[in-house]
Amino acid sequence: MKFRHELAQQLRVDSIRAADAAGSGHPTSSMSAADLMAALLDGHLRLDFDRPNNPRNDHLVFSKGHASPLLYSCFKAAGAIDDAELLTFREFGSRLEGHPTPALPWVDVATGSLGQGLPIGVGLALTAARLDTLGSRVWVLCGDSEMAEGSIWEAFEHAAHYRLDNIVALVDVNRLGQTGETMHGWDLKAYSDRARAIGWHAVEVEDGHDPERIEAALNEAETTRDRPTVVVARTRKGKGVGEVEDLPGKHGKPLQDPAAAIEELGGARELHVKVSSPETVGTPHTFATAQEPSPVFEVGDAAATRKAYGQGLRALGSRRGEVVALDGEVSNSTHSEQFREAHPQRYFEMYIAEQQMLATAVGMQARGWIPFASTFAAFLSRAYDFIRMASISRAALNLMGSHAGVAIGEDGPSQMALEDLAAMRAVHGSTVLYPCDANQTVGLLEPMADREGICYLRASRGATPVIYGPDEVFPIGGSKTVRKGEHVTLVGAGVTLHEALDAAERLAEEGIRARVIDLYSIKPVDIETLRLAAEETDGLVTVEDHWPEGGLGDAVLAALAEAGASVPVTKLAVTAMPGSGKPAELLAQAGIDSAAIVRAARDLVPGSATR
Amino acid sequence: MKFRHELAQQLRVDSIRAADAAGSGHPTSSMSAADLMAALLDGHLRLDFDRPNNPRNDHLVFSKGHASPLLYSCFKAAGAIDDAELLTFREFGSRLEGHPTPALPWVDVATGSLGQGLPIGVGLALTAARLDTLGSRVWVLCGDSEMAEGSIWEAFEHAAHYRLDNIVALVDVNRLGQTGETMHGWDLKAYSDRARAIGWHAVEVEDGHDPERIEAALNEAETTRDRPTVVVARTRKGKGVGEVEDLPGKHGKPLQDPAAAIEELGGARELHVKVSSPETVGTPHTFATAQEPSPVFEVGDAAATRKAYGQGLRALGSRRGEVVALDGEVSNSTHSEQFREAHPQRYFEMYIAEQQMLATAVGMQARGWIPFASTFAAFLSRAYDFIRMASISRAALNLMGSHAGVAIGEDGPSQMALEDLAAMRAVHGSTVLYPCDANQTVGLLEPMADREGICYLRASRGATPVIYGPDEVFPIGGSKTVRKGEHVTLVGAGVTLHEALDAAERLAEEGIRARVIDLYSIKPVDIETLRLAAEETDGLVTVEDHWPEGGLGDAVLAALAEAGASVPVTKLAVTAMPGSGKPAELLAQAGIDSAAIVRAARDLVPGSATR
């Protein structure tokens, strides 16, 4: 226990030194949790720093990502990084960023947006328990401020529901948030009562700086079965240094007198802690596969792309054992129920908790699984911060949002995604797909599974005509010119592609030959095909079931600008708040149906009124 | 009690009839809660349907918005709408939309994205208790499925923290979600234990169809002091009709045999319930005002726009008593602490719960207050679904997001908003502002306060030079041409405007005269000024501290397309994932600093290399 105290003091000293070298950072938030981490490193964590990809490793997630000086000081104490690197904290080019990211091999996921580490930890624990089926444990260091985030409670609910006894949340109750006291101050019972009500085992540690008490709590956590454990530890922010200890206004800044502080902590130490490794390198469980062919839809039939998604995903899951599915309690709407029925062990019900759904997917992909998570496209907006952070985690995952746009009809605007293309395009490294028929939808699933980054597939509620044969290939970044023409170009995707095809028919009757481009890959976008259309036709009409900003139309304009192409473009999109109604009524009201396209196209073709 | 049973049966019958007329909708989710609503209407709710704006009215929020047939049936029973209108449910043009919206005067806010009604109800209750200081009560009908949303727990936490005894949550525990059983089924204790742990008074109603038990529970709720009350009622989905009662697979669809169902329920009734009105028309509390002038910054000084926001908001709050401020526990970063210190009664600490912050703001504006809610711009993404829904609520509110872009420096990408402009532009009716200096920031606050819809102001972390005098006016939808030139146009905003000005200086040394446009109003955007620039210069360089998609550059391209202007446009934006570093290092790495702008501008000016 003496060693642990010394180790904790070293972690404090190194946190102070790192922040001092950087000129910024969060030493006081690190110092409160130093004793918890010293105990964890010295006898509880099982992490082979030399083999960071050993599936049997425990996972250490700093949900309070701003305590990164503490995390990096732990890595130094464990011998994973050296002191010189520690002092590159927050420097340009250093992998020791202000908040942890997977630039470091021992960091599974990026944190720094509070309330995300614990939900992702639940995803990692679920992966260890139900997919890898290895004995990995997940240790999550939480701040007390972040306990106010609803996502924390989604994590608590799901961990209890899935009876995950392989996750331990360590809550560093240092009482002080960024601007003042938290809602619950040092009331440990406030936290443990909530956790127990939800079904967790809760251990209160009245003195979170007492190695004996911490040791007892961690042992209790490790031996608790059938339920997760939270250790709620009363700590002091800036513990050990009079300049900052338990004082307001000391958040997120280096100490004023680091030398004095280090002396107060007993000076610098060069302790090394031998962190245990798992006994062996683990082999994760794999699921049996079968050569189930993808579903095929007949050209000329009609089918909803969401239905094709479900059927296609089931078949993909049969062929690829690493594919898993999650849904936000709408699997009969997204048709992910098809996957659930065929592969129940690889389907995870996330109930109506979209943030936890994303977090779980992020945790699963961190271990190499290929998650497909689905809900109404509108409700993916609930998890937008998780999607944003997933891109910082360099996560590879697949999202399907169904019921996009006014075309859903009667349910009204709360259920209509009209901002999803903009939101998803603005995620770094994302892929945004919007198929118009069932075979196209199926054809996009395997490329999604094999792709890096966050892939988003927008699906429609209603049935749309099948226009592509089952052998057609749809490369990501491509497009399909589904009708030739040299007067004007109509660019659509999803439901509006069919409106564009109808419009082209009607324009043909007037002698206007419209080219129709199916822009199923909205990001990356097929610049060359758009450039050719700009060159070869008099103008482009883009049409999308989406607000005018940031969607298909803006993607086309950006592509044309990049290509240096100059051509009149008329952008049709939803401009007024819709209500309920029949899909056709709402498409017409929004000015994105075939009649509106015909009008816009006519205006772009010189002399077309007299043609 | 006999009347209440009959009234409940009528509500069921009318819910079935409305869904039958529409051919869609959620009658079974309505039927489970009919007895709760009958009790509420008959003796508890105080709502003057003839004076929907009476500030003394109670508020009725259907957090389970899909139970809209029940809500509309209540309105009919209360005489607010007639039977003919009830049967327009979900028709094109009807105000009886699939999910409730403020198209109806008795609906404060739109619901339909689950888990939002209760947090907004907390906002309404906080408004009644702390701002209006009238005795209004807020009744929120929650579904059990939506209790899985983290936002519900944020609402529970905040209602308890603020000791709101004027809010009552009625949880309709009908056990069945959309696809199957909820996480907790009929375990009433699961819900009440959680609520009690958080500090609510909880009443379990074992039979949520028993008028006596419901009456007792509502009386208990009304007489509970200093804490909110949740009534957890065990009900049966589709109650009263054998075809659907407590059966899976009956969610969200009309009954197959409505005639038989109506007969089973005892036939149609024409009951009228006299809903109590408040005794008087209330006069909400107003706060004293004072003629505090706006802060003034000296041209040539440097100041952070976030700091100007705080100082400006404090002054605006002095002049306008209806202005209120909320913050997500970062008020010393957003500088909303300035407002808090001056106007503590009108400042609301939302802790690290961004969804609840948005919901509270939505509740406050529904009663005519003018909320300004602030946090790091990156963390507004946490509440994106609430912002989306707020636009459907026709909410007028103001959001400030600080610490935008790579220019924040060392904290790293988790704290850098790089998708906020895209996300906020894609909100219907939104206004998106991005000031580059302190006086401009201050000048935009009053126009924001007076504007409809959702206004977003993006603020910067670091100090930027003050370039505008204090008397300059910045109309929303305008821009400033801060430097004249006819060779090339540089378009920036916020931090990049200063990079553009630096670039223009350097270009001038090469003989290239660059026009510089400060596009502080990104939505609506100043199309005419951009059109002129396209006409009068050889090309445009747009530069933004944001991902390339959906931000300033795309706004410019869309404006030019709308204006029919043709000009080469080079879009500079952040294309690679940043790490930590000094602001200047990160701006350079991203290719959005003055050097990058110079290079891009040169490429656009014919013969500039030899100039």
Side-chain angles (χ1 to χ4, degrees), chain A residues 483-503:
Chain A
R483 186 179 175 118
K484 291 181 182 168
E486 70 283 9
H487 291 146
V488 65
T489 302
L490 313 179
V491 186
V495 292
T496 63
L497 189 272
H498 301 283
E499 298 296 325
L501 281 170
D502 286 352

Side-chain angles (χ1 to χ4, degrees), chain B residues 174-241:
Chain B
N174 66 25
R175 184 181 78 86
L176 293 172
Q178 172 171 329
T179 65
E181 197 171 45
T182 63
M183 215 183 255
H184 304 299
W186 268 327
D187 180 5
L188 300 187
K189 195 164 173 298
Y191 299 106
S192 55
D193 277 356
R194 285 156 175 72
R196 285 183 192 121
I198 294 176
W200 283 51
H201 181 62
V203 188
E204 293 176 21
V205 176
E206 283 298 335
D207 178 359
H209 304 300
D210 177 346
E212 304 274 1
R213 303 287 289 268
I214 296 170
E215 176 65 13
L218 296 187
N219 285 333
E220 201 171 317
E222 284 170 331
T223 52
T224 297
R225 291 289 167 268
D226 288 330
R227 56 182 54 204
T229 298
V230 58
V231 175
V232 187
R234 177 180 164 129
T235 62
R236 294 169 77 83
K237 199 161 178 171
K239 166 73 178 176
V241 173

Side-chain angles (χ1 to χ4, degrees), chain A residues 359-421:
Chain A
T360 305
V362 169
M364 288 175 169
Q365 66 80 39
R367 281 285 317 116
W369 299 88
I370 301 176
F372 281 75
S374 50
T375 182
F376 282 33
F379 305 141
L380 285 174
S381 64
R382 197 61 155 269
Y384 192 45
D385 193 23
F386 281 77
I387 299 169
R388 179 184 77 88
M389 288 295 298
S391 77
I392 303 175
S393 291
R394 283 71 169 164
L397 53 86
N398 306 287
L399 304 175
M400 186 284 239
S402 70
H403 293 68
V406 303
I408 69 163
E410 289 80 358
D411 270 334
S414 63
Q415 320 292 302
M416 295 169 178
L418 287 164
E419 61 296 302
D420 57 321
L421 297 177

Side-chain angles (χ1 to χ4, degrees), chain A residues 90 98-99 112 114 149-151 154 157 178-179 194 329 332-333 354 382 388 411 414-415 428 566 580, chain B residues 90 98-99 112 114 149-151 154 157 178-179 194 329 332-333 354 382 388 411 414-415 566 580:
Chain A
R90 288 175 166 243
H99 294 75
L114 290 173
E149 286 283 10
S151 55
E154 293 183 19
E157 285 277 8
Q178 173 171 329
T179 67
R194 284 157 175 73
E329 223 282 277
N332 56 349
S333 289
E354 294 81 8
R382 197 61 155 269
R388 179 184 77 88
D411 270 334
S414 63
Q415 320 292 302
H428 179 65
S566 176
S580 292
Chain B
R90 289 175 166 245
H99 295 74
L114 290 173
E149 287 283 10
S151 55
E154 293 184 19
E157 284 278 8
Q178 172 171 329
T179 65
R194 285 156 175 72
E329 223 284 277
N332 56 349
S333 289
E354 295 81 8
R382 198 61 156 268
R388 178 184 78 88
D411 271 334
S414 64
Q415 320 292 302
S566 176
S580 292

